[in-house]
Amino acid sequence: MKTTENLISKAYSPEEFQKDVPKLMGMITKELESSLTREVPETIKRLSPEEQLRLWQEDFSSPVRADLPALMEKVMLHSVNFHSKGYVGHQVAVTLPITALTSAMMAYMNNCTTVYELGMAGNAMEKVVISHLAEKFGYNKGATGFVASGGSMGNLTALVTARTSSGIEEKDYHRLAVMVSGEAHYSVERAAKIMGIRSENIIRVSVGDDFGIRPEVLESTYQQAVSEGKIVFCVVGCACTTSVGAFDNLEAVADFAERHQIWFHVDGAHGGAVIFSEKYKHLIKGIERSDSLIVDFHKMMMTPPLSTAIIYNAGNRKVNEFSPKAAYLWQDQLSEEWWNSAKHTLECTKPITILHTYAIMRLYGDEIYQQNVDMLFDMGKQFAEMIKAERNMELALEPKSNIVCFRYITEGADADEVNKKIAQKLLEDGSYYVVSTTVRGKFYLRITIMNPFTDKTCIANLIAKIKEFAEEQE
């Protein structure tokens, strides 16, 4: 008679687990060392979507059970390498190695911050870190907040809070309007639409040559909305924009918001981290006057996604904006109770991603963020200077951050088509991962320097490779 293997016992076996741990940690360590020291970066080995799907369909249908280290090695081989010095693509963190260990602890513990007992340490750590950040940002004593799963969730939560705190009655919700920069992240518009705000009530304020919101048109834009019967309850400032890395004049936006007594929210998902830098924090001057802000830990604060702080300035927020009714979680439906996170978020079973940030702060302090921001922004400026020194290259605008938009120009050729072909060639080459964007209707290559080990030699080689690919087209 055939004996059925007890898979439950095997899967929970400490001995079985211990067998794979050193192999996986060794693999990560080896890959990290290679990524940071390799002269020629190896960033992406791109397959087409169809090829990638076929690869994993074949893997999934294999009759042989997988070996975990071999499976994870295969995953790494067919994924973009964020730790490569040639990764200059999107605004995704180059995670600190210790977060591989905090991620393992999170997965094993499986605590969440729904109610205190399910995430006792997590809720308390969120409170400590939020209080620390609120003080850094210059918020008033008693500021509150929590961690949400990403910037999109953070912006949505802030807008819902702004609506509830405005005191506007539900019968007038159809008239609600929000003012945003013409360069605002799409998540702000999406959040407004989720809330039922009509497209025509999402008012995009024009931007200047620096792609920051134009303070001089705020008042006229507002008065036009009022004359159309709209109720503007919130204005959103960018710190910074995703496409080109522009910072709004937050002081001017704060003046406008105070004048009309409307909620002022700052989307600092990417650029909010400059608060740690003495050199660059002037870019967010005025943020201390906002009613709420978000900042992503999973961008320049080097944690895995998704983990975003949403912070409310003291006294500006009404309690229980979501008014949850859940007697099986808590008996008191109306009290603040910071230790029961689900009372204040759109999420219920939210993982304790704060563990990453808390551990980083305890091990390295705020100084590691200061060093990271300074290095990334400095390298962005250095890259821009190198582009300006090239006869056949141009910037879209002078960068204020680690986001730089540029392109190759050839006399008598369609620059858009030339740069699209360069972008494709870079993908096929795989040494560097560079993305693109449209600026004033023109196609530009776009880099975001996220790896503090991406140095001058590395970006000089990138420029040389771009010139090589461009000259092939001539």
Side-chain angles (χ1 to χ4, degrees), residues 168-368:
I168 297 167
E169 296 183 15
E170 287 189 24
K171 66 181 178 62
D172 290 322
Y173 276 8
H174 67 285
R175 297 171 56 201
L176 289 179
V178 58
M179 290 173 61
V180 303
S181 160
E183 290 289 309
H185 190 261
Y186 71 86
S187 66
V188 178
E189 181 176 353
R190 185 168 62 182
K193 287 183 175 179
I194 289 171
M195 292 168 61
I197 296 173
R198 296 180 297 179
S199 295
E200 60 267 30
N201 284 19
I202 302 168
I203 304 166
R204 290 194 168 270
V205 184
S206 61
V207 299
D209 292 340
D210 64 352
F211 286 83
I213 206 166
R214 292 173 60 202
E216 70 273 16
V217 302
L218 283 168
E219 186 63 34
S220 58
T221 304
Y222 174 80
Q223 293 301 337
Q224 177 65 33
V226 171
S227 70
E228 295 169 356
K230 298 171 183 175
I231 303 174
V232 179
F233 73 100
C234 181
V235 59
V236 181
C238 296
C240 54
T241 65
T242 302
S243 186
V244 300
F247 286 81
D248 285 339
N249 182 338
L250 300 183
E251 284 197 299
V253 180
D255 289 341
F256 164 76
E258 287 176 7
R259 189 160 61 245
H260 294 287
Q261 293 296 293
I262 59 178
W263 190 278
F264 174 27
H265 172 64
V266 177
D267 180 357
H270 181 74
V274 299
I275 195 64
F276 294 100
S277 167
E278 290 300 318
K279 189 174 183 179
Y280 291 106
K281 70 179 182 181
H282 68 274
L283 293 166
I284 56 171
K285 189 177 180 183
I287 199 169
E288 71 280 357
R289 296 167 61 191
S290 63
D291 296 286
S292 60
L293 66 88
I294 66 165
V295 59
D296 285 351
F297 297 142
H298 59 271
K299 286 192 169 71
M300 286 194 291
M301 294 175 71
M302 300 176 282
T303 74
L306 290 166
S307 192
T308 297
I310 176 166
I311 313 174
Y312 301 109
N313 215 337
N316 298 354
R317 163 187 172 239
K318 287 187 177 179
V319 176
N320 294 322
E321 56 270 21
F322 302 109
S323 302
K325 304 293 188 294
Y328 62 93
L329 293 177
W330 45 71
Q331 292 301 311
D332 185 345
Q333 306 294 325
L334 299 177
S335 62
E336 173 75 13
E337 293 184 346
W338 58 262
W339 53 89
N340 288 325
S341 178
K343 276 191 168 188
H344 313 292
T345 72
L346 292 166
E347 303 169 272
C348 187
T349 310
K350 178 172 66 70
I352 55 168
T353 57
I354 190 63
L355 184 60
H356 304 307
T357 303
Y358 191 91
I360 291 169
M361 288 182 165
R362 287 289 290 115
L363 267 65
Y364 306 110
D366 289 354
E367 290 79 9
I368 195 168

Side-chain angles (χ1 to χ4, degrees), residues 8-55:
I8 293 293
S9 295
K10 181 180 180 181
Y12 280 97
S13 165
E15 292 78 19
E16 190 80 13
F17 179 69
Q18 181 59 39
K19 197 170 63 178
D20 289 332
V21 170
K23 295 178 184 177
L24 287 172
M25 289 300 106
M27 184 174 70
I28 292 172
T29 302
K30 182 180 177 182
E31 183 60 34
L32 177 66
E33 182 181 20
S34 175
S35 295
L36 299 183
T37 58
R38 192 181 285 130
E39 279 191 33
V40 179
E42 291 182 8
T43 308
I44 184 169
K45 296 176 182 177
R46 189 180 185 276
L47 298 177
S48 70
E50 293 76 17
E51 291 171 321
Q52 188 82 240
L53 178 61
R54 186 160 55 250
L55 173 85

Side-chain angles (χ1 to χ4, degrees), residues 378-390 395 398-399 404 459 463:
D378 285 351
M379 191 52 62
K381 288 182 178 297
Q382 188 163 25
F383 180 77
E385 291 302 314
M386 294 167 74
I387 292 296
K388 287 192 285 187
E390 293 290 334
L395 295 169
E398 197 69 33
V404 187
I459 58 177
I463 291 172

